[in-house]
Each structure stands twice: as C-alpha cells, then as structure tokens.
Amino acid sequence: EDLLVAPVTTPADSATGLATVSLWLPPGDWVEWGSGARLGGLATVERTYLLDEIPLFVRAGAVIPMAEPTLRVGQADHDPLVVTVLPGTAEGGTAGQTRLYEDAGNDTGYLWGESARTALLAKGREGGRRLSVAVGAADGSYPGQPTARALTVRVSGVLPPTAVTADGAAVPYRADGSAPGWRYDGAGLAVEVRLPSAPVTAGRSVELTFPAADAALVDGAAGSLARVRAAVDVLEGLWPIEWAPESLVALGQAGRRVELDPSTAVDELTRLRAALSSEVEKVRTLKGGSLLVSKALAILEAGGR
C-alpha cells in the first residue's frame, strides 16, 4: 500500500523526448521516487518523463526494505539490508512501519513456519528535525538464515544531517561510504548511514538530526538537477558552434559539490532554485541548432515536474 507505479503508456513528444502522463494518486501524501517531488493525494496530477524515467510514487513516511543491486538472486542479496525511509512532512511527521519477511526461497519449509520476520520502524520528532529508524531482532528462523549482516539506512529527500548516531554512539561522516559512517548522495539528495555486520538476533537503531532549514529546498530538487544535466547532454550536440552555458553546467554539478561537502547543501539548493529561470533565458540565445535548443528548453522548463 506504500508504492504506486504508473508506467508511461503515452508516446513521447518527438521534438522534446518528454512524455506527459496524467495519473491519479490515492489519498495521502506521496513522494515521486526519481524527482523527490512531494504531491498531495486524492487528486489527478500531470507529470512529464524522459525515456529513462519511471513514474514511481512512495507514500510519505514509508519504510521500504531493499537490497543492493545484484546480478543474481541469492542469500547474499540480503547483506547489507537496506532500509529506505521517505520522511513525511514536517507538519505530519514520520511514523512508518513494515516487516521484512524472509525464508529459504527454494523449498516449502515456509508452510510449516520456517521463516523470519524483522520489524522496521521510522518515527519523526521535533517537527521533522529528528528521525529515528529501528530495525528489530529477527523473529523466527529458516534453513540458510544469515546469522549476521550489515545495515544501510537510506533517508531520501532530506538535507545533510548535523548529527547521526547508531545504537547511541556517534557515527562519523565518511565521504567514501565506508562503514561505520554516513555519506550524502548528492544526486538523490539522500543520507546513507552504513553500519558494519551485527547478529540478526540483535535490534539496531539509527537517529538523525537535521538542520533547522526550509525543508522545501529539497522538494523536487533531485528532479531539477537531473533535468539540468539532461539539458546539458542535449546541448552537447551544438558543438563546435555553441556549447551549454558554463553556468548551466556548473548548476548541474551542484549535487556533486554537496556530496563532497555536505555543509554547502543549503547554499547550493537555494542557488539552484534562484538560477533556473535565468539559465533558461541563456539557453534561448544559443545558436547552431534550433531543434536541440528547443529540446533543451523543454527539458529545463519541465524541471522536476
């Protein structure tokens, strides 16, 4: 009940590469997975997508168990366990929960109780400034069950935290993503907290503290950054007559700069919102290929919508 997938079944515009989709969102608050845009439910919304974008919406406050990308299915896919949280609004807070179900996957032992369930819980406090994520002890057992595994907690659509703790101990910032440590994904505007392996019979908890900044800064910002980078790629086709404005290229690199220095997040995202309209006007003046310029303009003007 926390996921809504709406495949694109309408043709893309031949000139812009964008497909427009009209879809209905059930009641509640929803987050568009790719763009980070927050949308109100019990409404029909119109969104645009490029060929490599898939409409996926997640209920705000949802807790989703995941695994790292892999080329095959197997027990190793559960290590580390990735717990992804999509926080709710500051007004509504975050209070999401689910259970991770596991069994051997290659026999019928689950029919007589050979399985395990792990409770996952996220809870926001102080108007969204604090977020606690709890992973319970595995309840039950099955053949081949791992005795220990690492944990990654990913919180999407947030500013970099000012403090992170795990089981009460401070977690250091590590730009390289090593464990134990936290890093910031500048493309997805998400915090990743990586913890080393621990017994599955022991519960674990992570708490993040966020700055007292305007949460609207990240609303749809990941989508805007992605569209800026897509427009720059289109404008490469103008070479050698023209090229994407250097300021537009720099704007598309904002996420990478935040990833390298999370303390710049507020300034970078504020600049992103303020500069987009002026960058559109710069692109309008480019020469060397009206079709490419028109396509880049359409992508920029669509933004994260």
Side-chain angles (χ1 to χ4, degrees), residues 63-190:
V63 182
I64 306 171
M66 301 177 66
E68 295 285 1
T70 182
L71 295 176
R72 62 179 181 81
V73 176
Q75 195 59 52
D77 303 343
H78 299 250
D79 192 4
L81 169 63
V82 180
V83 178
T84 298
V85 180
L86 279 294
T89 61
E91 295 78 11
T94 297
Q97 60 182 346
T98 190
R99 290 189 302 173
L100 168 65
Y101 169 86
E102 297 172 284
D103 59 37
N106 58 3
D107 61 24
T108 57
Y110 65 92
L111 293 174
W112 48 85
E114 291 183 352
S115 61
R117 291 170 173 80
T118 303
L120 308 174
L121 172 69
K123 186 174 183 179
R125 305 191 310 280
E126 298 181 18
R129 284 203 61 209
R130 291 184 183 273
L131 177 68
S132 300
V133 181
V135 178
D139 180 16
S141 63
Y142 57 90
Q145 180 182 17
T147 58
R149 64 180 158 206
L151 173 68
T152 297
V153 172
R154 181 179 174 89
V155 185
S156 295
V158 292
L159 291 168
T162 56
V164 179
T165 62
D167 301 323
V171 176
Y173 167 71
R174 299 190 193 279
D176 62 358
S178 57
W182 70 269
R183 65 178 289 272
Y184 192 72
D185 172 12
L189 303 185

Side-chain angles (χ1 to χ4, degrees), residues 103-282:
D103 59 37
N106 58 3
D107 61 24
T108 57
Y110 65 92
L111 293 174
W112 48 85
E114 291 183 352
S115 61
R117 291 170 173 80
T118 303
L120 308 174
L121 172 69
K123 186 174 183 179
R125 305 191 310 280
E126 298 181 18
R129 284 203 61 209
R130 291 184 183 273
L131 177 68
S132 300
V133 181
V135 178
D139 180 16
S141 63
Y142 57 90
Q145 180 182 17
T147 58
R149 64 180 158 206
L151 173 68
T152 297
V153 172
R154 181 179 174 89
V155 185
S156 295
V158 292
L159 291 168
T162 56
V164 179
T165 62
D167 301 323
V171 176
Y173 167 71
R174 299 190 193 279
D176 62 358
S178 57
W182 70 269
R183 65 178 289 272
Y184 192 72
D185 172 12
L189 303 185
V191 181
E192 290 183 353
V193 183
R194 297 179 182 267
L195 302 179
S197 186
V200 298
T201 53
R204 312 182 80 172
S205 64
V206 173
E207 181 161 306
L208 302 96
T209 303
F210 297 101
D214 187 0
L217 280 175
V218 295
D219 186 352
S224 296
L225 284 170
R227 293 291 174 86
V228 169
R229 294 192 296 269
V232 170
D233 289 344
V234 169
L235 294 174
E236 286 184 354
L238 297 177
W239 182 262
I241 299 174
E242 283 275 25
W243 182 246
E246 290 298 324
S247 54
L248 181 66
V249 175
L251 198 64
Q253 297 168 340
R256 179 58 177 160
R257 290 193 293 274
V258 174
E259 189 169 305
L260 295 172
D261 184 359
S263 67
T264 65
V266 171
D267 290 342
E268 290 285 1
L269 294 180
T270 299
R271 188 179 303 113
L272 172 68
R273 288 186 177 274
L276 273 176
S277 58
S278 61
E279 292 303 323
V280 168
E281 294 309 311
K282 291 179 184 178

Side-chain angles (χ1 to χ4, degrees), residues 15 231 234-239 283 288-298:
V234 169
L235 294 174
E236 286 184 354
L238 297 177
W239 182 262
V283 172
S290 58
L291 292 179
L292 292 176
V293 170
S294 295
K295 183 175 182 177
L297 283 171

